[in-house]
């Protein structure tokens, strides 16, 4: 993680890695997202990502992490911290 990322209480380095990948992927897909707004308590929708953006972000993040998460694990309105925790389980 870069120096501007904050460590989140209750997360481990693997979860922080997943959050970093999600952040990078989000900014790649939706470059107009303000990086400071990317926090574990926000959702991709909060950041202005539409359903296609969200699907691309999750898919690219899973590819980069080399994981596969069953679709039924994801829920509308899931915050980034929860999303990262679900992905971390697959590492």
């Amino acid at each position: 993680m870069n120096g501007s990322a904050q460590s989140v209480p209750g997360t481990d380095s693997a979860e922080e890695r997943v959050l970093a990948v999600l952040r990078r992927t989000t900014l790649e897909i939706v470059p107009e997202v303000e990086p400071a707004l990317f926090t574990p308590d926000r959702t991709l929708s909060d950041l202005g990502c539409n359903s296609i953006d969200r699907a691309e972000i999750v898919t690219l993040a899973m590819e980069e992490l080399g994981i596969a998460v069953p679709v039924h694990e994801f829920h509308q309105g899931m915050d980034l911290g929860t999303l990262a925790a679900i992905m971390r389980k697959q590492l």
Side-chain angles (χ1 to χ4, degrees):
M1 293 187 116
N2 65 32
S4 67
Q6 296 178 346
S7 183
V8 179
T11 61
D12 59 23
S13 61
E15 198 161 315
E16 288 176 9
R17 176 177 164 233
V18 173
L19 279 168
V21 169
L22 284 168
R23 181 178 190 267
R24 184 172 53 254
T25 306
T26 299
L27 296 174
E28 187 178 307
I29 300 297
V30 189
E32 60 272 13
V33 168
E34 177 62 42
L37 296 178
F38 192 95
T39 58
D41 62 327
R42 296 196 188 232
T43 67
L44 288 170
S45 294
D46 292 342
L47 299 176
C49 301
N50 64 36
S51 60
I52 295 170
D53 296 335
R54 294 190 305 267
E56 285 185 55
I57 290 163
V58 169
T59 300
L60 288 174
M62 287 192 297
E63 285 176 6
E64 184 172 334
L65 294 165
I67 62 172
V69 179
V71 174
H72 72 270
E73 298 259 349
F74 300 112
H75 310 291
Q76 179 72 18
M78 180 180 290
D79 65 56
L80 292 162
T82 303
L83 180 59
I86 287 171
M87 290 181 153
R88 184 216 171 277
K89 289 182 202 175
Q90 302 298 320
L91 291 176

